[in-house]
Amino acid sequence: MAERGRKSAAALSVVVGSIDGRPLPPADLTTIQKEIWERTVANEAADVFKTAALQQLLKEYCRHAATAAYLSKIIDDQQTMQPAEAMSLENYDRLLKMRDRETKALADKATKLRLTNQARYTPQAAGTASKRAGGG
């Protein structure tokens, strides 16, 4: 329940989120995860991530995105190595499976957060948007 009366100067000086109401990244995220959080929040309306449940889901999305990027870097580095320096195919295959798992989890979180076009549009609206864009 809201308090009655005017707010004190001390109460007005406390900033819970950013100036425009976008949530700030949680302190327990890594630097890369915080960057992903900030980019994601900046690309959506200010009130999209206002609930604690959505912020927790966004936190997990950031973790999966960072992990997928990390795995992709390791895989890319392996592709540029000479065969004698590269890891075994078994370990390489394990990395590919790990990245696939992270990418699927990332896509799942993105869909639940309604960050993907699939989650934003009905099939009919997507068809109309596609036709307008010249896609057929």
Side-chain angles (χ1 to χ4, degrees):
M1 180 166 235
E3 292 184 27
R4 297 175 45 186
R6 296 189 331 190
K7 293 186 178 185
S8 67
L12 290 173
S13 68
V14 175
V15 178
V16 175
S18 65
I19 298 296
D20 63 356
R22 296 176 197 274
L24 297 174
D28 60 336
L29 293 180
T30 65
T31 303
I32 294 169
Q33 292 168 352
K34 286 179 182 179
E35 289 173 10
I36 294 167
W37 175 288
E38 290 167 352
R39 282 195 319 261
T40 305
V41 169
N43 286 323
E44 299 299 323
D47 64 343
V48 170
F49 303 109
K50 61 185 172 190
T51 67
L54 287 175
Q55 290 176 20
Q56 181 61 39
L57 200 55
L58 178 58
K59 189 171 162 180
E60 295 307 316
Y61 169 83
C62 295
R63 287 178 172 156
H64 285 295
T67 302
Y70 174 73
L71 292 169
S72 290
K73 178 159 179 17
I74 295 172
I75 290 166
D76 292 345
D77 290 347
Q78 285 297 308
Q79 292 173 350
T80 60
M81 289 184 171
Q82 296 298 322
E85 300 171 328
M87 66 176 63
S88 70
L89 283 177
E90 183 179 296
N91 288 337
Y92 186 72
D93 182 55
R94 187 175 297 138
L95 276 175
L96 291 172
K97 288 177 183 175
M98 290 166 61
R99 181 177 64 178
D100 184 56
R101 187 174 55 234
E102 286 300 316
T103 304
K104 286 177 181 174
L106 174 63
D108 177 60
K109 302 300 181 289
T111 301
K112 288 180 179 174
L113 286 166
R114 302 186 64 80
L115 300 176
T116 63
N117 287 340
Q118 177 184 358
R120 293 176 190 228
Y121 300 114
T122 64
Q124 295 80 16
T128 302
S130 173
K131 288 177 187 172
R132 286 185 185 155

